[in-house]
């Protein structure tokens, strides 16, 4: 049996399912070939490698209680992610992980939770939403605000439609632009924050998406009264080792892979505004 | 509807919350209730911008038609929002179409009437500007973010 405890040596996993989500996004279900998967916490990531191509950090996007499958959602942007997206059922990949810290699931208990996601940023927070829905009674109001470029790029569309039918969570989706058949919100996701219902004094915000979107979302959340230490964001920087050794993902004094990728806004504010970092 | 209840509805709309009562009465004197069925147009590109809509219920898609691409919706305004910023800027014409995507209830303010009152009473004019400026700035900022296309090929 392979030992996943050596963080620098990848285990081998087989693709057991591949779903084409949107034009350039695929979701892969993986199964370890000869190792036992230890499970993950929402917010963590794996280093996935395609043999002969390279390695990239990819967040978990699946159900955290499902230890049989490792689920990742990938957008094809460069060599590694394109190779991952083109994998077929039965192909193998290298897996190192899980790495990084997690979204504040325990801290969120008993509070209102507002999840703000943009574009592919819905993938790393989907495990959060699964957890919140499974443990719904332990939280106050639960809100998902999701922004995408256009209706065709809405990730997990069928699932979002299902969530919207639930009476115990508020789900709002907005797109930057649409064709005439779209009947929902059109405009930036930050605009939805002002209209969401939550008690800012007792709320936790979870924000994931492109850095510019996160910066403005964090500002809008703070403007709505949520303290910056209650606003959590997931940072992305190019990574190599995944365990805080190589310095590739250093952001000022922080290593995104080891100290993050989840940080609170009060810690990040100055770093994100510093252009040289 | 009598002016009393119309005034209350305007006073409770996000754009005018906390607005001076005397000014509110002047605005209410230019206003009426409107109801637009889903799929109907409130205005078309090039039409005179002679109304400001304070949306109470429903949603209005603001769209521009492009040859070969059909209509592109660049903004949708819902309850608590106002549309019709062109009422302030000569030549007072709509630059886009406004289509109700759901049954929409709104207060329609006669723009020419409000312009006249603002011209006659600059205190009212300034107070009205103070309400419209943040909407304009917010929309400019939102447009910048849309232009950045932040969700594009980036995570
Ligand atoms: C903690 C963490 C979690 C991540 N989770 C996911 C995930 O769940 N799904 C996913 O698809 N990606 C995720 N990423 C991003 C992914 O690791 C990168 O996109 C990676 O660089 C892809 O490698 P590549 O060889 O395909 O592309 P590269 O050759 O590294 O990049 C190709 C092009 O895309 C641009 N690019 C790459 N990554 C980004 C980015 N993040 N933002 C903006 N531009 C970028 C580069 O500038 C370059 O021009 C995550 C990154 C981190 C740090």
């Amino acid at each position: 049996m392979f030992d996943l405890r050596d963080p620098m040596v990848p285990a081998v996993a087989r693709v057991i399912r591949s779903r084409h989500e949107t034009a350039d996004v695929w979701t892969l279900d993986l199964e370890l070939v000869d190792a036992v998967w230890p499970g993950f916490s929402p917010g963590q990531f794996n280093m996935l490698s395609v043999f002969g191509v390279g390695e990239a950090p990819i967040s978990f996007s699946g159900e955290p209680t499902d230890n049989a499958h490792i689920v990742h959602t990938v957008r094809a942007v460069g060599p590694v992610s394109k190779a991952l997206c083109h994998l077929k059922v039965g192909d193998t990949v290298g897996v190192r992980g899980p790495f990084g810290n997690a979204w504040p699931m325990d801290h969120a208990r008993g509070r209102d939770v507002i999840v703000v996601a943009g574009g592919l940023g819905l993938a790393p927070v989907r495990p959060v939403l699964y957890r919140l829905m499974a443990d719904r009674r332990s939280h106050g109001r639960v809100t998902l605000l999701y922004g995408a470029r256009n209706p065709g790029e809405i990730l997990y569309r069928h699932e979002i439609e299902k969530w919207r039918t639930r009476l115990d969570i508020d789900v709002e989706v907005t797109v930057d632009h649409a064709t005439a058949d779209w009947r929902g919100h059109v405009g930036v996701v930050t605009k939805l924050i002002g209209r969401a219902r939550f008690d800012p004094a007792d709320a936790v915000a979870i924000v994931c998406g492109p850095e510019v979107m996160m910066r403005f979302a964090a500002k809008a959340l703070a403007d709505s009264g949520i303290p910056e230490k209650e606003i959590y964001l997931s940072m992305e920087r190019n990574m190599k080792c995944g365990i805080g050794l190589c310095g590739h993902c250093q952001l000022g004094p922080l290593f995104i892979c080891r100290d993050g990728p989840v940080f609170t806004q009060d810690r990040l504010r100055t770093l994100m505004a510093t252009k040289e970092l | 509807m009598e002016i009393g209840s119309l005034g209350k509805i305007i006073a409770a709309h996000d754009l005018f919350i906390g607005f001076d009562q005397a000014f509110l009465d002047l605005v209410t004197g230019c206003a009426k209730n409107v109801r637009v069925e889903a799929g109907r147009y409130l205005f078309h590109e090039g039409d005179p911008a002679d109304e400001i809509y304070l949306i109470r219920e429903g949603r209005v898609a603001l769209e521009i038609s492009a040859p070969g691409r059909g209509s592109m919706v660049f903004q949708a305004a819902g309850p608590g929002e106002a549309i019709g910023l062109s009422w302030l800027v000569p030549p007072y014409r709509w630059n886009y179409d406004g289509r109700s995507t759901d049954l929409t209830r709104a207060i329609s303010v006669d723009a020419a009437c409000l312009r006249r009152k603002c011209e006659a009473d600059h205190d009212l004019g300034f107070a009205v500007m103070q309400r419209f400026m943040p909407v304009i700035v917010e929309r400019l900022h939102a447009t910048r973010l849309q232009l950045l296309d932040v969700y594009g090929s980036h995570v």
Side-chain angles (χ1 to χ4, degrees):
Chain A
M1 179 83 32
F2 196 87
D3 188 356
L4 265 176
R5 282 172 303 182
D6 183 343
M8 292 308 286
V9 182
V12 176
R14 180 159 287 125
V15 178
I16 55 164
R17 193 171 165 199
S18 165
R19 261 156 299 169
H20 193 182
E21 302 278 4
T22 64
D24 55 357
V25 178
W26 276 258
T27 294
L28 302 173
D29 292 9
L30 310 175
E31 214 172 56
L32 289 180
V33 172
D34 195 17
V36 178
W37 177 240
F40 73 95
S41 300
Q44 289 191 296
F45 62 92
N46 264 336
M47 296 297 292
L48 294 187
S49 48
V50 180
F51 304 115
V53 184
E55 197 178 36
I58 304 289
S59 304
F60 296 97
S61 68
E63 169 61 68
T65 56
D66 175 5
N67 275 350
H69 306 109
I70 308 169
V71 181
H72 291 288
T73 301
V74 188
R75 171 174 278 156
V77 295
V80 177
S81 51
K82 278 185 186 152
L84 285 168
C85 289
H86 293 148
L87 290 174
K88 300 275 174 286
V89 170
D91 289 348
T92 53
V93 284
V95 173
R96 292 194 295 126
F99 294 131
N101 65 355
W103 296 109
M105 299 311 298
D106 289 337
H107 178 65
R109 298 191 106 196
R111 297 165 204 261
D112 290 353
V113 185
I114 173 164
V115 178
V116 185
L120 190 62
L122 187 59
V125 297
R126 188 168 66 163
V128 171
L129 295 163
Y130 288 150
R131 283 275 297 269
L132 291 172
M133 283 185 255
D135 190 18
R136 183 63 195 86
R137 282 162 187 268
S138 303
H139 301 87
R141 278 184 185 286
V142 172
T143 306
L144 167 66
L145 307 178
Y146 177 53
R149 192 195 221 171
N150 58 51
E153 294 195 14
I154 294 173
L155 199 57
Y156 313 137
R157 190 164 180 159
H158 294 299
E159 240 176 329
I160 292 178
E161 278 163 14
K162 226 167 50 200
W163 298 339
R164 287 183 72 127
T165 63
R166 288 179 65 126
L167 300 176
D168 58 357
I169 65 169
D170 292 335
V171 178
E172 298 290 344
V173 177
T174 187
V175 295
D176 268 358
H177 50 83
T179 46
D181 52 355
W182 170 256
R183 293 181 55 209
H185 296 285
V186 182
V188 289
V189 70
T190 46
K191 202 174 110 180
L192 300 178
I193 292 170
R195 305 200 168 268
R197 292 175 301 167
F198 54 87
D199 174 7
D202 198 20
V204 174
I206 287 176
V207 186
C208 192
E211 206 163 298
V212 176
M213 171 246 142
M214 286 200 290
R215 203 155 76 219
F216 288 106
K219 189 175 167 302
L221 289 161
D223 288 347
S224 75
I226 301 185
E228 287 191 331
K229 66 178 178 42
E230 300 296 346
I231 301 171
Y232 292 78
L233 304 93
S234 180
M235 289 300 294
E236 293 198 355
R237 282 290 187 278
N238 282 343
M239 286 180 185
K240 276 263 180 294
C241 73
I243 52 174
L245 293 178
C246 72
H248 227 80
C249 63
Q250 202 165 350
L251 181 70
L254 307 173
F255 288 95
I256 304 290
C257 68
R258 186 196 60 200
D259 304 314
V262 176
F263 296 95
T264 53
Q265 169 65 2
D266 59 339
R267 254 184 119 188
L268 276 180
R269 184 164 33 86
T270 40
L271 293 171
M272 282 172 95
T274 311
K275 292 197 171 56
E276 303 79 57
L277 294 178
Chain B
M1 179 172 303
E2 28 170 312
I3 199 152
S5 53
L6 193 59
K8 282 198 191 108
I9 293 170
I10 296 174
H13 190 275
D14 284 6
L15 191 70
F16 285 113
I17 282 175
F19 207 56
D20 180 276
Q21 186 57 49
F23 291 160
L24 214 46
D25 292 342
L26 289 169
V27 174
T28 306
C30 297
K32 64 174 193 283
N33 262 296
V34 291
R35 181 179 188 278
V36 189
E37 299 296 331
R40 300 289 297 266
Y41 280 84
L42 286 79
F43 49 84
H44 283 99
E45 184 180 339
D47 284 352
D50 48 16
E51 277 173 306
I52 304 153
Y53 295 98
L54 311 180
I55 302 187
R56 301 172 54 200
E57 273 175 50
R59 188 169 291 156
V60 177
L62 307 183
E63 56 191 35
I64 291 178
S65 307
R69 292 181 69 189
S71 294
M72 296 298 297
V73 182
F74 62 91
Q75 193 198 329
E81 295 187 79
I83 47 178
L85 303 179
S86 313
W87 79 280
L88 280 165
V89 191
Y92 315 120
R93 293 211 173 278
W94 292 101
N95 290 313
Y96 40 81
D97 301 332
R99 181 176 46 86
S100 173
T101 54
D102 295 309
L103 170 66
T104 298
R105 290 192 169 82
I107 301 290
S108 143
V109 181
D110 179 332
C113 166
L114 189 58
R115 278 198 298 266
R116 266 196 311 276
K117 289 185 181 178
C118 289
E119 196 59 62
D121 178 348
H122 284 186
D123 285 345
L124 168 70
F126 184 66
V128 168
M129 282 306 162
Q130 279 187 311
R131 294 304 170 117
F132 275 91
M133 258 335 261
V135 180
I136 295 169
V137 170
E138 188 193 306
R139 212 156 283 175
L140 175 65
H141 179 62
T143 305
R144 281 190 193 126
L145 283 183
Q146 281 170 302
L147 279 175
L148 284 176
D149 192 18
V150 288
Y151 311 121
S153 58
H154 299 250
V155 177

